[in-house]
Short mmCIF file of all heavy atoms in Angstrom, two decimals:
data_model
loop_
_atom_site.label_atom_id
_atom_site.label_comp_id
_atom_site.label_asym_id
_atom_site.label_seq_id
_atom_site.Cartn_x
_atom_site.Cartn_y
_atom_site.Cartn_z
N MET A 67 -108.79 -95.68 17.10
CA MET A 67 -108.00 -95.23 15.99
C MET A 67 -106.56 -95.04 16.42
O MET A 67 -106.26 -94.41 17.44
CB MET A 67 -108.61 -93.92 15.49
CG MET A 67 -108.34 -93.64 14.06
SD MET A 67 -109.27 -92.18 13.53
CE MET A 67 -109.64 -92.77 11.89
N ARG A 68 -105.68 -95.55 15.61
CA ARG A 68 -104.24 -95.42 15.93
C ARG A 68 -103.70 -94.08 15.58
O ARG A 68 -104.21 -93.39 14.70
CB ARG A 68 -103.50 -96.48 15.18
CG ARG A 68 -103.85 -97.89 15.67
CD ARG A 68 -103.03 -98.92 14.96
NE ARG A 68 -103.49 -100.23 15.38
CZ ARG A 68 -102.67 -101.25 15.43
NH1 ARG A 68 -101.43 -101.14 15.01
NH2 ARG A 68 -103.15 -102.45 15.86
N PRO A 69 -102.65 -93.64 16.24
CA PRO A 69 -102.06 -92.32 15.98
C PRO A 69 -101.62 -92.15 14.56
O PRO A 69 -101.74 -91.05 13.99
CB PRO A 69 -100.90 -92.21 16.95
CG PRO A 69 -101.23 -93.15 18.06
CD PRO A 69 -102.01 -94.27 17.44
N HIS A 70 -101.04 -93.20 13.93
CA HIS A 70 -100.58 -92.99 12.56
C HIS A 70 -101.75 -92.89 11.60
O HIS A 70 -101.62 -92.28 10.53
CB HIS A 70 -99.61 -94.12 12.13
CG HIS A 70 -100.23 -95.47 12.04
ND1 HIS A 70 -100.44 -96.28 13.11
CD2 HIS A 70 -100.69 -96.16 10.93
CE1 HIS A 70 -101.00 -97.42 12.70
NE2 HIS A 70 -101.18 -97.36 11.40
N GLN A 71 -102.89 -93.41 11.91
CA GLN A 71 -104.09 -93.24 11.09
C GLN A 71 -104.61 -91.84 11.18
O GLN A 71 -105.04 -91.24 10.17
CB GLN A 71 -105.19 -94.25 11.48
CG GLN A 71 -104.84 -95.66 11.16
CD GLN A 71 -105.90 -96.61 11.73
OE1 GLN A 71 -106.50 -96.35 12.73
NE2 GLN A 71 -106.04 -97.77 11.07
N ILE A 72 -104.57 -91.23 12.36
CA ILE A 72 -104.97 -89.85 12.52
C ILE A 72 -103.98 -88.94 11.75
O ILE A 72 -104.41 -88.02 11.07
CB ILE A 72 -105.00 -89.48 14.00
CG1 ILE A 72 -106.10 -90.28 14.70
CG2 ILE A 72 -105.23 -88.01 14.19
CD1 ILE A 72 -106.09 -90.18 16.21
N PHE A 73 -102.73 -89.24 11.86
CA PHE A 73 -101.69 -88.47 11.14
C PHE A 73 -101.93 -88.50 9.62
O PHE A 73 -101.85 -87.50 8.90
CB PHE A 73 -100.31 -88.99 11.53
CG PHE A 73 -99.20 -88.20 10.89
CD1 PHE A 73 -98.92 -86.89 11.23
CD2 PHE A 73 -98.36 -88.81 9.90
CE1 PHE A 73 -97.93 -86.21 10.64
CE2 PHE A 73 -97.34 -88.12 9.33
CZ PHE A 73 -97.12 -86.84 9.72
N ALA A 74 -102.19 -89.72 9.12
CA ALA A 74 -102.47 -89.89 7.69
C ALA A 74 -103.74 -89.12 7.29
O ALA A 74 -103.80 -88.51 6.19
CB ALA A 74 -102.59 -91.35 7.31
N GLY A 75 -104.73 -89.11 8.12
CA GLY A 75 -105.97 -88.36 7.82
C GLY A 75 -105.74 -86.86 7.80
O GLY A 75 -106.29 -86.17 6.89
N VAL A 76 -104.94 -86.35 8.73
CA VAL A 76 -104.64 -84.92 8.72
C VAL A 76 -103.86 -84.55 7.49
O VAL A 76 -104.10 -83.51 6.84
CB VAL A 76 -103.86 -84.56 10.05
CG1 VAL A 76 -103.26 -83.17 9.92
CG2 VAL A 76 -104.79 -84.69 11.20
N LEU A 77 -102.87 -85.37 7.12
CA LEU A 77 -102.13 -85.08 5.87
C LEU A 77 -102.99 -85.16 4.64
O LEU A 77 -102.85 -84.34 3.73
CB LEU A 77 -100.97 -86.11 5.75
CG LEU A 77 -99.82 -85.91 6.70
CD1 LEU A 77 -98.77 -86.96 6.48
CD2 LEU A 77 -99.23 -84.57 6.61
N ALA A 78 -103.94 -86.05 4.58
CA ALA A 78 -104.85 -86.17 3.44
C ALA A 78 -105.73 -84.92 3.37
O ALA A 78 -105.96 -84.36 2.29
CB ALA A 78 -105.70 -87.41 3.55
N LEU A 79 -106.24 -84.45 4.50
CA LEU A 79 -107.07 -83.26 4.50
C LEU A 79 -106.26 -82.04 4.09
O LEU A 79 -106.76 -81.15 3.35
CB LEU A 79 -107.67 -83.04 5.88
CG LEU A 79 -108.84 -83.92 6.24
CD1 LEU A 79 -109.27 -83.69 7.72
CD2 LEU A 79 -110.02 -83.70 5.33
N ALA A 80 -105.01 -81.93 4.54
CA ALA A 80 -104.16 -80.83 4.10
C ALA A 80 -103.89 -80.84 2.63
O ALA A 80 -103.88 -79.83 1.98
CB ALA A 80 -102.86 -80.83 4.92
N ALA A 81 -103.64 -82.05 2.08
CA ALA A 81 -103.41 -82.17 0.65
C ALA A 81 -104.65 -81.75 -0.16
O ALA A 81 -104.56 -81.09 -1.15
CB ALA A 81 -102.98 -83.59 0.33
N MET A 82 -105.83 -82.21 0.32
CA MET A 82 -107.06 -81.83 -0.35
C MET A 82 -107.29 -80.29 -0.30
O MET A 82 -107.75 -79.71 -1.24
CB MET A 82 -108.26 -82.56 0.21
CG MET A 82 -108.19 -84.06 -0.05
SD MET A 82 -108.07 -84.53 -1.74
CE MET A 82 -109.69 -84.12 -2.30
N ASN A 83 -106.95 -79.74 0.86
CA ASN A 83 -107.11 -78.29 1.00
C ASN A 83 -106.10 -77.56 0.08
O ASN A 83 -106.40 -76.49 -0.46
CB ASN A 83 -106.90 -77.87 2.44
CG ASN A 83 -107.18 -76.40 2.65
OD1 ASN A 83 -108.07 -75.86 2.02
ND2 ASN A 83 -106.41 -75.77 3.50
N GLY A 84 -104.92 -78.14 -0.13
CA GLY A 84 -103.93 -77.54 -0.96
C GLY A 84 -104.40 -77.52 -2.45
O GLY A 84 -104.10 -76.61 -3.16
N ILE A 85 -105.14 -78.52 -2.82
CA ILE A 85 -105.58 -78.62 -4.21
C ILE A 85 -106.81 -77.78 -4.47
O ILE A 85 -106.91 -77.10 -5.46
CB ILE A 85 -105.84 -80.10 -4.58
CG1 ILE A 85 -104.55 -80.91 -4.55
CG2 ILE A 85 -106.49 -80.20 -5.96
CD1 ILE A 85 -104.71 -82.40 -4.67
N PHE A 86 -107.75 -77.76 -3.56
CA PHE A 86 -109.08 -77.15 -3.79
C PHE A 86 -109.25 -75.82 -3.00
O PHE A 86 -110.38 -75.35 -2.93
CB PHE A 86 -110.17 -78.12 -3.45
CG PHE A 86 -110.15 -79.38 -4.27
CD1 PHE A 86 -109.90 -80.59 -3.73
CD2 PHE A 86 -110.36 -79.30 -5.65
CE1 PHE A 86 -109.86 -81.74 -4.49
CE2 PHE A 86 -110.34 -80.43 -6.42
CZ PHE A 86 -110.08 -81.66 -5.84
N SER A 87 -108.24 -75.27 -2.47
CA SER A 87 -108.35 -74.06 -1.68
C SER A 87 -108.57 -72.83 -2.56
O SER A 87 -107.95 -72.73 -3.62
CB SER A 87 -107.12 -73.84 -0.84
OG SER A 87 -107.17 -72.60 -0.15
N PRO A 88 -109.44 -71.90 -2.14
CA PRO A 88 -109.51 -70.65 -2.90
C PRO A 88 -108.26 -69.77 -2.81
O PRO A 88 -108.05 -68.88 -3.65
CB PRO A 88 -110.70 -69.94 -2.27
CG PRO A 88 -110.94 -70.57 -0.99
CD PRO A 88 -110.35 -71.96 -1.07
N TYR A 89 -107.41 -70.05 -1.85
CA TYR A 89 -106.17 -69.32 -1.73
C TYR A 89 -105.10 -69.77 -2.72
O TYR A 89 -104.05 -69.12 -2.85
CB TYR A 89 -105.59 -69.42 -0.29
CG TYR A 89 -106.48 -68.76 0.71
CD1 TYR A 89 -107.14 -69.51 1.65
CD2 TYR A 89 -106.68 -67.39 0.72
CE1 TYR A 89 -107.96 -68.91 2.60
CE2 TYR A 89 -107.49 -66.76 1.66
CZ TYR A 89 -108.11 -67.54 2.57
OH TYR A 89 -108.95 -66.93 3.52
N LEU A 90 -105.39 -70.81 -3.42
CA LEU A 90 -104.45 -71.32 -4.44
C LEU A 90 -104.25 -70.26 -5.53
O LEU A 90 -103.15 -70.07 -6.01
CB LEU A 90 -104.94 -72.62 -5.00
CG LEU A 90 -104.00 -73.37 -5.94
CD1 LEU A 90 -102.72 -73.72 -5.23
CD2 LEU A 90 -104.66 -74.58 -6.48
N ALA A 91 -105.31 -69.56 -5.89
CA ALA A 91 -105.20 -68.51 -6.92
C ALA A 91 -104.33 -67.36 -6.43
O ALA A 91 -103.60 -66.80 -7.25
CB ALA A 91 -106.56 -68.01 -7.28
N VAL A 92 -104.39 -67.08 -5.16
CA VAL A 92 -103.58 -66.01 -4.60
C VAL A 92 -102.09 -66.40 -4.64
O VAL A 92 -101.25 -65.60 -5.03
CB VAL A 92 -103.99 -65.66 -3.16
CG1 VAL A 92 -103.08 -64.67 -2.51
CG2 VAL A 92 -105.45 -65.20 -3.14
N VAL A 93 -101.81 -67.62 -4.27
CA VAL A 93 -100.43 -68.11 -4.28
C VAL A 93 -99.92 -68.17 -5.71
O VAL A 93 -98.74 -67.81 -5.98
CB VAL A 93 -100.31 -69.48 -3.61
CG1 VAL A 93 -98.92 -70.05 -3.71
CG2 VAL A 93 -100.70 -69.38 -2.15
N LEU A 94 -100.76 -68.58 -6.62
CA LEU A 94 -100.34 -68.60 -8.06
C LEU A 94 -100.10 -67.18 -8.61
O LEU A 94 -99.25 -67.01 -9.48
CB LEU A 94 -101.35 -69.29 -8.89
CG LEU A 94 -101.32 -70.83 -8.85
CD1 LEU A 94 -102.56 -71.45 -9.52
CD2 LEU A 94 -100.04 -71.37 -9.45
N ALA A 95 -100.84 -66.22 -8.09
CA ALA A 95 -100.59 -64.82 -8.56
C ALA A 95 -99.24 -64.31 -8.09
O ALA A 95 -98.66 -63.43 -8.76
CB ALA A 95 -101.73 -63.94 -8.02
N PHE A 96 -98.71 -64.83 -7.00
CA PHE A 96 -97.44 -64.40 -6.50
C PHE A 96 -96.28 -65.31 -6.90
O PHE A 96 -95.26 -65.37 -6.21
CB PHE A 96 -97.47 -64.28 -4.96
CG PHE A 96 -98.22 -63.11 -4.49
CD1 PHE A 96 -99.52 -63.27 -3.93
CD2 PHE A 96 -97.69 -61.82 -4.57
CE1 PHE A 96 -100.21 -62.15 -3.48
CE2 PHE A 96 -98.40 -60.73 -4.12
CZ PHE A 96 -99.64 -60.89 -3.57
N VAL A 97 -96.42 -65.97 -8.03
CA VAL A 97 -95.36 -66.86 -8.50
C VAL A 97 -94.03 -66.15 -8.70
O VAL A 97 -92.98 -66.65 -8.31
CB VAL A 97 -95.78 -67.59 -9.80
CG1 VAL A 97 -94.60 -68.19 -10.49
CG2 VAL A 97 -96.80 -68.66 -9.49
N PRO A 98 -94.03 -64.88 -9.23
CA PRO A 98 -92.71 -64.23 -9.37
C PRO A 98 -91.98 -63.97 -8.04
O PRO A 98 -90.79 -63.82 -7.97
CB PRO A 98 -93.03 -62.91 -10.06
CG PRO A 98 -94.35 -63.14 -10.74
CD PRO A 98 -95.08 -64.13 -9.88
N VAL A 99 -92.73 -63.95 -6.94
CA VAL A 99 -92.15 -63.68 -5.65
C VAL A 99 -91.45 -64.92 -5.09
O VAL A 99 -90.35 -64.85 -4.56
CB VAL A 99 -93.23 -63.17 -4.66
CG1 VAL A 99 -92.63 -62.96 -3.25
CG2 VAL A 99 -93.81 -61.86 -5.15
N TRP A 100 -92.14 -66.08 -5.16
CA TRP A 100 -91.58 -67.28 -4.52
C TRP A 100 -90.88 -68.25 -5.43
O TRP A 100 -90.17 -69.15 -4.97
CB TRP A 100 -92.66 -68.01 -3.70
CG TRP A 100 -93.86 -68.44 -4.48
CD1 TRP A 100 -95.08 -67.79 -4.57
CD2 TRP A 100 -94.00 -69.64 -5.26
NE1 TRP A 100 -95.87 -68.51 -5.40
CE2 TRP A 100 -95.28 -69.63 -5.80
CE3 TRP A 100 -93.15 -70.72 -5.55
CZ2 TRP A 100 -95.78 -70.68 -6.61
CZ3 TRP A 100 -93.65 -71.74 -6.36
CH2 TRP A 100 -94.90 -71.71 -6.86
N ALA A 101 -91.07 -68.11 -6.73
CA ALA A 101 -90.42 -69.09 -7.67
C ALA A 101 -89.05 -68.51 -8.11
O ALA A 101 -88.96 -67.36 -8.50
CB ALA A 101 -91.30 -69.28 -8.86
N PRO A 102 -88.04 -69.34 -8.04
CA PRO A 102 -86.73 -68.88 -8.53
C PRO A 102 -86.72 -68.74 -10.04
O PRO A 102 -87.53 -69.32 -10.75
CB PRO A 102 -85.74 -69.95 -8.06
CG PRO A 102 -86.57 -71.15 -7.81
CD PRO A 102 -87.95 -70.68 -7.46
N ALA A 103 -85.77 -67.97 -10.57
CA ALA A 103 -85.72 -67.72 -11.98
C ALA A 103 -85.38 -68.91 -12.82
O ALA A 103 -85.76 -69.05 -13.97
CB ALA A 103 -84.72 -66.62 -12.27
N TRP A 104 -84.63 -69.88 -12.22
CA TRP A 104 -84.18 -71.06 -12.97
C TRP A 104 -85.29 -72.15 -13.03
O TRP A 104 -85.10 -73.11 -13.76
CB TRP A 104 -82.93 -71.67 -12.30
CG TRP A 104 -83.05 -71.95 -10.84
CD1 TRP A 104 -82.64 -71.11 -9.85
CD2 TRP A 104 -83.64 -73.06 -10.19
NE1 TRP A 104 -82.91 -71.66 -8.63
CE2 TRP A 104 -83.50 -72.87 -8.82
CE3 TRP A 104 -84.22 -74.22 -10.64
CZ2 TRP A 104 -83.98 -73.82 -7.88
CZ3 TRP A 104 -84.69 -75.16 -9.74
CH2 TRP A 104 -84.56 -74.93 -8.38
N LEU A 105 -86.38 -71.94 -12.36
CA LEU A 105 -87.50 -72.91 -12.39
C LEU A 105 -88.18 -72.85 -13.73
O LEU A 105 -88.47 -71.76 -14.22
CB LEU A 105 -88.47 -72.56 -11.27
CG LEU A 105 -89.55 -73.58 -10.97
CD1 LEU A 105 -88.98 -74.82 -10.35
CD2 LEU A 105 -90.56 -72.98 -10.03
N PRO A 106 -88.45 -74.01 -14.36
CA PRO A 106 -89.18 -73.96 -15.62
C PRO A 106 -90.56 -73.35 -15.48
O PRO A 106 -91.23 -73.54 -14.43
CB PRO A 106 -89.29 -75.43 -16.01
CG PRO A 106 -88.36 -76.18 -15.12
CD PRO A 106 -88.11 -75.34 -13.93
N ASN A 107 -91.02 -72.64 -16.48
CA ASN A 107 -92.28 -71.95 -16.44
C ASN A 107 -93.41 -72.90 -16.90
O ASN A 107 -94.23 -72.51 -17.74
CB ASN A 107 -92.26 -70.67 -17.29
CG ASN A 107 -93.32 -69.72 -16.90
OD1 ASN A 107 -94.03 -69.92 -15.92
ND2 ASN A 107 -93.48 -68.67 -17.67
N ASP A 108 -93.46 -74.08 -16.36
CA ASP A 108 -94.47 -75.06 -16.70
C ASP A 108 -95.66 -74.88 -15.80
O ASP A 108 -95.53 -74.92 -14.57
CB ASP A 108 -93.87 -76.45 -16.51
CG ASP A 108 -94.80 -77.57 -16.92
OD1 ASP A 108 -95.69 -77.31 -17.77
OD2 ASP A 108 -94.64 -78.72 -16.42
N PRO A 109 -96.89 -74.69 -16.32
CA PRO A 109 -98.07 -74.45 -15.49
C PRO A 109 -98.35 -75.58 -14.50
O PRO A 109 -98.76 -75.34 -13.39
CB PRO A 109 -99.18 -74.23 -16.47
CG PRO A 109 -98.57 -73.92 -17.79
CD PRO A 109 -97.21 -74.54 -17.77
N SER A 110 -98.16 -76.83 -14.92
CA SER A 110 -98.44 -77.93 -14.02
C SER A 110 -97.47 -77.98 -12.83
O SER A 110 -97.87 -78.27 -11.70
CB SER A 110 -98.42 -79.28 -14.77
OG SER A 110 -97.13 -79.50 -15.31
N LEU A 111 -96.24 -77.64 -13.09
CA LEU A 111 -95.26 -77.60 -12.00
C LEU A 111 -95.55 -76.46 -11.03
O LEU A 111 -95.48 -76.63 -9.81
CB LEU A 111 -93.86 -77.45 -12.60
CG LEU A 111 -92.70 -77.32 -11.53
CD1 LEU A 111 -92.57 -78.62 -10.76
CD2 LEU A 111 -91.43 -76.96 -12.20
N LEU A 112 -95.92 -75.30 -11.58
CA LEU A 112 -96.24 -74.15 -10.75
C LEU A 112 -97.53 -74.41 -9.91
O LEU A 112 -97.62 -74.06 -8.75
CB LEU A 112 -96.43 -72.91 -11.57
CG LEU A 112 -95.15 -72.41 -12.25
CD1 LEU A 112 -95.44 -71.18 -13.10
CD2 LEU A 112 -94.07 -72.10 -11.23
N PHE A 113 -98.49 -75.10 -10.54
CA PHE A 113 -99.69 -75.47 -9.78
C PHE A 113 -99.37 -76.43 -8.69
O PHE A 113 -99.89 -76.32 -7.55
CB PHE A 113 -100.75 -76.10 -10.71
CG PHE A 113 -102.00 -76.54 -10.03
CD1 PHE A 113 -102.98 -75.61 -9.73
CD2 PHE A 113 -102.20 -77.86 -9.68
CE1 PHE A 113 -104.15 -75.99 -9.09
CE2 PHE A 113 -103.38 -78.25 -9.05
CZ PHE A 113 -104.33 -77.29 -8.76
N TYR A 114 -98.50 -77.42 -8.94
CA TYR A 114 -98.12 -78.39 -7.92
C TYR A 114 -97.40 -77.70 -6.76
O TYR A 114 -97.69 -77.96 -5.58
CB TYR A 114 -97.23 -79.45 -8.55
CG TYR A 114 -96.61 -80.36 -7.54
CD1 TYR A 114 -97.37 -81.36 -6.93
CD2 TYR A 114 -95.27 -80.29 -7.19
CE1 TYR A 114 -96.83 -82.22 -5.99
CE2 TYR A 114 -94.71 -81.13 -6.27
CZ TYR A 114 -95.48 -82.12 -5.66
OH TYR A 114 -94.96 -82.93 -4.73
N LEU A 115 -96.45 -76.82 -7.08
CA LEU A 115 -95.73 -76.15 -6.00
C LEU A 115 -96.63 -75.20 -5.20
O LEU A 115 -96.48 -75.10 -3.99
CB LEU A 115 -94.55 -75.41 -6.60
CG LEU A 115 -93.41 -76.28 -7.16
CD1 LEU A 115 -92.36 -75.44 -7.84
CD2 LEU A 115 -92.82 -77.15 -6.08
N ALA A 116 -97.55 -74.53 -5.90
CA ALA A 116 -98.45 -73.64 -5.19
C ALA A 116 -99.38 -74.42 -4.30
O ALA A 116 -99.68 -73.97 -3.15
CB ALA A 116 -99.26 -72.82 -6.20
N SER A 117 -99.87 -75.57 -4.74
CA SER A 117 -100.75 -76.40 -3.85
C SER A 117 -99.95 -76.94 -2.70
O SER A 117 -100.49 -77.10 -1.61
CB SER A 117 -101.40 -77.49 -4.67
OG SER A 117 -100.47 -78.40 -5.14
N LEU A 118 -98.67 -77.23 -2.91
CA LEU A 118 -97.80 -77.70 -1.84
C LEU A 118 -97.60 -76.60 -0.78
O LEU A 118 -97.64 -76.84 0.43
CB LEU A 118 -96.46 -78.15 -2.40
CG LEU A 118 -95.54 -78.93 -1.47
CD1 LEU A 118 -96.16 -80.23 -1.07
CD2 LEU A 118 -94.21 -79.10 -2.16
N ILE A 119 -97.47 -75.36 -1.24
CA ILE A 119 -97.33 -74.23 -0.31
C ILE A 119 -98.62 -74.05 0.50
O ILE A 119 -98.59 -73.86 1.72
CB ILE A 119 -97.00 -72.94 -1.08
CG1 ILE A 119 -95.58 -73.01 -1.60
CG2 ILE A 119 -97.16 -71.73 -0.23
CD1 ILE A 119 -95.19 -71.92 -2.56
N VAL A 120 -99.74 -74.14 -0.14
CA VAL A 120 -101.06 -73.98 0.58
C VAL A 120 -101.24 -75.12 1.55
O VAL A 120 -101.71 -74.90 2.70
CB VAL A 120 -102.22 -73.88 -0.45
CG1 VAL A 120 -103.55 -73.89 0.28
CG2 VAL A 120 -102.08 -72.66 -1.30
N ALA A 121 -100.92 -76.35 1.18
CA ALA A 121 -101.08 -77.47 2.09
C ALA A 121 -100.13 -77.38 3.28
O ALA A 121 -100.55 -77.65 4.42
CB ALA A 121 -100.80 -78.78 1.35
N THR A 122 -98.91 -76.93 3.06
CA THR A 122 -97.96 -76.76 4.18
C THR A 122 -98.41 -75.65 5.12
O THR A 122 -98.35 -75.78 6.33
CB THR A 122 -96.56 -76.45 3.62
OG1 THR A 122 -96.20 -77.53 2.73
CG2 THR A 122 -95.57 -76.35 4.72
N THR A 123 -98.91 -74.58 4.52
CA THR A 123 -99.45 -73.49 5.34
C THR A 123 -100.66 -73.92 6.17
O THR A 123 -100.82 -73.56 7.32
CB THR A 123 -99.83 -72.30 4.46
OG1 THR A 123 -98.71 -71.94 3.67
CG2 THR A 123 -100.29 -71.09 5.28
N THR A 124 -101.48 -74.78 5.58
CA THR A 124 -102.63 -75.32 6.32
C THR A 124 -102.18 -76.15 7.52
O THR A 124 -102.70 -75.99 8.61
CB THR A 124 -103.48 -76.22 5.39
OG1 THR A 124 -103.93 -75.45 4.29
CG2 THR A 124 -104.64 -76.81 6.13
N LEU A 125 -101.15 -76.97 7.32
CA LEU A 125 -100.63 -77.75 8.45
C LEU A 125 -100.03 -76.85 9.52
O LEU A 125 -100.20 -77.11 10.70
CB LEU A 125 -99.60 -78.73 7.94
CG LEU A 125 -100.12 -80.00 7.27
CD1 LEU A 125 -98.98 -80.81 6.72
CD2 LEU A 125 -100.95 -80.82 8.24
N LEU A 126 -99.31 -75.83 9.08
CA LEU A 126 -98.67 -74.96 10.08
C LEU A 126 -99.73 -74.17 10.88
O LEU A 126 -99.62 -74.02 12.10
CB LEU A 126 -97.73 -74.00 9.38
CG LEU A 126 -96.44 -74.59 8.88
CD1 LEU A 126 -95.68 -73.57 8.03
CD2 LEU A 126 -95.58 -75.09 10.01
N LEU A 127 -100.74 -73.65 10.19
CA LEU A 127 -101.78 -72.91 10.88
C LEU A 127 -102.68 -73.76 11.74
O LEU A 127 -103.20 -73.26 12.75
CB LEU A 127 -102.61 -72.11 9.86
CG LEU A 127 -101.85 -70.98 9.18
CD1 LEU A 127 -102.77 -70.28 8.14
CD2 LEU A 127 -101.29 -69.96 10.15
N SER A 128 -102.86 -75.00 11.34
CA SER A 128 -103.70 -75.90 12.16
C SER A 128 -103.03 -76.30 13.46
O SER A 128 -103.67 -76.72 14.44
CB SER A 128 -104.12 -77.10 11.39
OG SER A 128 -103.00 -77.93 11.07
N GLY A 129 -101.70 -76.18 13.52
CA GLY A 129 -101.01 -76.54 14.74
C GLY A 129 -101.06 -75.45 15.80
O GLY A 129 -100.83 -75.75 16.97
N VAL A 130 -101.35 -74.22 15.42
CA VAL A 130 -101.34 -73.12 16.36
C VAL A 130 -102.51 -73.31 17.40
O VAL A 130 -102.23 -73.22 18.60
CB VAL A 130 -101.48 -71.78 15.64
CG1 VAL A 130 -101.72 -70.63 16.62
CG2 VAL A 130 -100.21 -71.50 14.87
N PRO A 131 -103.73 -73.54 17.00
CA PRO A 131 -104.76 -73.74 18.00
C PRO A 131 -104.52 -74.97 18.88
O PRO A 131 -104.81 -74.96 20.08
CB PRO A 131 -106.07 -73.94 17.20
CG PRO A 131 -105.80 -73.36 15.89
CD PRO A 131 -104.36 -73.51 15.67
N ALA A 132 -103.96 -76.00 18.32
CA ALA A 132 -103.67 -77.19 19.09
C ALA A 132 -102.60 -76.90 20.14
O ALA A 132 -102.70 -77.38 21.28
CB ALA A 132 -103.19 -78.32 18.15
N ALA A 133 -101.61 -76.13 19.78
CA ALA A 133 -100.60 -75.77 20.73
C ALA A 133 -101.12 -74.86 21.84
O ALA A 133 -100.74 -74.96 23.00
CB ALA A 133 -99.43 -75.08 20.04
N LEU A 134 -102.02 -73.95 21.45
CA LEU A 134 -102.61 -73.07 22.46
C LEU A 134 -103.50 -73.84 23.45
O LEU A 134 -103.46 -73.53 24.64
CB LEU A 134 -103.38 -71.99 21.78
CG LEU A 134 -102.57 -70.93 21.00
CD1 LEU A 134 -103.50 -69.98 20.28
CD2 LEU A 134 -101.65 -70.18 21.94
N ILE A 135 -104.26 -74.78 22.96
CA ILE A 135 -105.12 -75.58 23.82
C ILE A 135 -104.28 -76.45 24.71
O ILE A 135 -104.58 -76.64 25.87
CB ILE A 135 -106.11 -76.38 23.00
CG1 ILE A 135 -107.16 -75.44 22.34
CG2 ILE A 135 -106.82 -77.43 23.83
CD1 ILE A 135 -108.12 -76.08 21.38
N GLU A 136 -103.23 -77.01 24.17
CA GLU A 136 -102.35 -77.92 24.96
C GLU A 136 -101.62 -77.14 26.03
O GLU A 136 -101.38 -77.64 27.14
CB GLU A 136 -101.37 -78.62 24.05
CG GLU A 136 -100.47 -79.62 24.74
CD GLU A 136 -99.54 -80.28 23.78
OE1 GLU A 136 -100.02 -80.97 22.89
OE2 GLU A 136 -98.31 -80.13 23.96
N ASN A 137 -101.31 -75.89 25.79
CA ASN A 137 -100.54 -75.06 26.72
C ASN A 137 -101.43 -74.57 27.88
O ASN A 137 -100.98 -74.28 28.94
CB ASN A 137 -99.90 -73.89 26.00
CG ASN A 137 -98.81 -73.25 26.81
OD1 ASN A 137 -98.38 -73.82 27.79
ND2 ASN A 137 -98.42 -72.04 26.41
N ALA A 138 -102.73 -74.47 27.63
CA ALA A 138 -103.64 -73.89 28.61
C ALA A 138 -103.89 -74.85 29.78
O ALA A 138 -103.70 -75.95 29.81
CB ALA A 138 -104.94 -73.54 27.96
#
């Protein structure tokens, strides 16, 4: 398997986790905290941005164990 295929697979898993994560409801509950006032109050846009936040957090948190293992 080539490295770019592994990278694409990791990104796909993070995107799926961003869409179907149970933490998505928590991020949506905190919309007034992270959404600026000028942002339109469109539910589909807020869902998209919340799933993007969850997917990015997934990628960031998945890198911590990898960095710890690599450092050891």
Side-chain angles (χ1 to χ4, degrees):
M67 205 172 217
R68 295 183 182 209
H70 67 278
Q71 291 172 332
I72 295 172
F73 183 67
V76 168
L77 288 179
L79 284 174
M82 295 303 288
N83 187 36
I85 295 171
F86 298 114
S87 175
Y89 294 113
L90 187 61
V92 175
V93 174
L94 281 171
F96 285 106
V97 164
V99 175
W100 58 263
W104 52 264
L105 190 70
N107 200 8
D108 184 24
S110 61
L111 178 66
L112 294 177
F113 179 80
Y114 173 73
L115 292 174
S117 65
L118 191 66
I119 289 171
V120 173
T122 304
T123 305
T124 301
L125 282 174
L126 289 172
L127 291 178
S128 67
V130 171
L134 291 175
I135 290 172
E136 184 178 297
N137 196 15

